[in-house]
Amino acid sequence: MTTKQTHHLAVPGVDLVYDVRGPLPPAGGRPALLMIGQPMTAEGFDALAPHFTDRTVVTYDPRGLGRSTRSDGRTDHTPQQQAADLHLLIEALDAGPVDVFASSGGAVTALELVATHPADVVTLVAHEPPINAVLPDAAAAEHARNAFNEAYQAKGFGAGMAAFIAMTSWQGEFTDAYFAQPAPDPAMVGMPTDDDGSRDNPLLSKSSWAITDYRPDASVLTAASTRIVIAVGVESTGTYTARTALGTAALLGQEAVVFPSHHGGFLGGEFGYAGQPEEFAARLREVLDAD
């Protein structure tokens, strides 16, 4: 197994912490492979990264999450700021342009990175980016997002997560039938029923709304030198993030590439969300090698 080395990068407003598996500069003539998520931190890729021992793999904790302590006095998480951080990180690697596998909100950040710094990225595989603007029912999706935030603000983490799970597991557009449902019971989905009083969760608070509010510029992205691949999990069919993946792919004039498993298909059981990391890695390698 390749040893993981942890590094710190001082950038304006944050001590950015990242991990490197493999040599820098990369060996074998292949770009470093950067794996990013949002609001997930580096450990979310612990099951996927070991399947790429022939590549130098870089993971990181986004600004204000995990080990990356921010000093800018802000609590919001925006694709623009995170893309700026990634640009500085890629510069610090001093290894030329990288390949990127980006998950969920990280896929939104990666699209912004390509839009603003296309020379940084050779190939981007953007897995299920949650972008409301590409949906035909965008306004209803925003309403559903408001609902899980309201549940969180009223009753805490368990109620907010139960409402979030209800949103992300719903099949198809958010219709009147969706909003007519009774509030989900946190205990029924394994969430705590008590309220610890905190309201700063990056997923359930409004701090990450800039992610789902992001509006990709198709003309800029399709003109970029970066090869962009939008990916969707085979088990995600019909859900919110599958629909946003398909919508983003259509915006870019392409079809989404199907990957094994679901939204967290690369996870190995962490966060209680097991996927198929070995099969997922094989598909990712196939897509990256297709360039």
Side-chain angles (χ1 to χ4, degrees):
M1 181 178 292
T2 305
T3 302
K4 178 172 65 176
Q5 296 184 334
T6 298
H7 303 265
H8 292 250
L9 177 64
V11 303
V14 65
D15 175 33
L16 209 62
V17 180
Y18 64 100
D19 303 313
V20 179
R21 297 170 171 87
L24 284 174
R30 299 300 306 277
L33 174 56
L34 180 59
M35 298 179 176
I36 64 173
Q38 161 64 37
M40 190 177 64
T41 50
E43 70 269 19
F45 298 101
D46 282 350
L48 181 62
H51 293 285
F52 291 88
T53 55
D54 59 328
R55 301 281 299 261
T56 296
V57 176
V58 181
T59 56
Y60 93 126
D61 290 357
R63 174 181 294 248
L65 299 173
R67 302 162 295 171
S68 291
T69 305
R70 66 194 305 173
S71 56
D72 58 5
R74 301 176 67 99
T75 60
D76 57 333
H77 305 285
T78 72
Q80 293 78 12
Q81 181 63 74
Q82 291 187 6
D85 289 344
L86 283 173
H87 172 62
L88 295 176
L89 173 57
I90 292 166
E91 280 191 336
L93 295 176
D94 194 25
V98 301
D99 285 339
V100 178
F101 169 68
S103 164
S104 194
V108 181
T109 295
L111 289 170
E112 174 64 12
L113 175 65
V114 169
T116 52
H117 301 285
D120 284 354
V121 184
V122 180
T123 296
L124 164 62
V125 179
H127 185 251
E128 300 195 6
I131 300 172
N132 287 335
V134 301
L135 296 175
D137 56 328
E142 291 178 8
H143 185 190
R145 180 188 64 180
N146 295 348
F148 75 69
N149 172 257
E150 290 166 2
Y152 175 58
Q153 294 298 333
K155 298 182 178 179
F157 176 80
M161 275 303 297
F164 174 79
I165 292 169
M167 175 186 174
T168 55
S169 60
W170 179 258
Q171 288 285 314
E173 296 188 12
F174 295 107
T175 61
D176 290 344
Y178 173 81
F179 295 107
Q181 297 178 109
D185 180 357
M188 294 297 291
V189 290
M191 292 294 121
T193 56
D194 59 329
D195 182 356
D196 65 5
S198 65
R199 294 295 185 272
D200 58 356
N201 184 279
L203 182 65
L204 302 177
S205 70
K206 294 183 179 181
S207 63
S208 296
W209 276 21
I211 300 290
T212 49
D213 283 341
Y214 183 70
R215 291 182 175 272
D217 188 327
S219 63
V220 170
L221 290 170
T222 55
S225 57
T226 303
R227 172 178 169 246
I228 301 174
V229 177
I230 306 299
V232 63
V234 67
E235 295 177 22
S236 299
T237 301
T239 64
Y240 167 70
T241 54
R243 295 195 302 117
T244 58
L246 296 178
T248 303
L251 181 71
L252 301 182
Q254 60 178 262
E255 293 187 4
V257 173
V258 178
F259 270 63
S261 199
H262 44 61
H263 190 64
F266 53 90
L267 297 172
E270 53 271 69
F271 317 113
Y273 201 42
Q276 299 173 324
E278 183 173 356
E279 295 84 352
F280 197 99
R283 182 60 167 144
L284 178 56
R285 183 182 295 278
E286 181 181 77
V287 172
L288 289 172
D289 288 348
D291 61 356

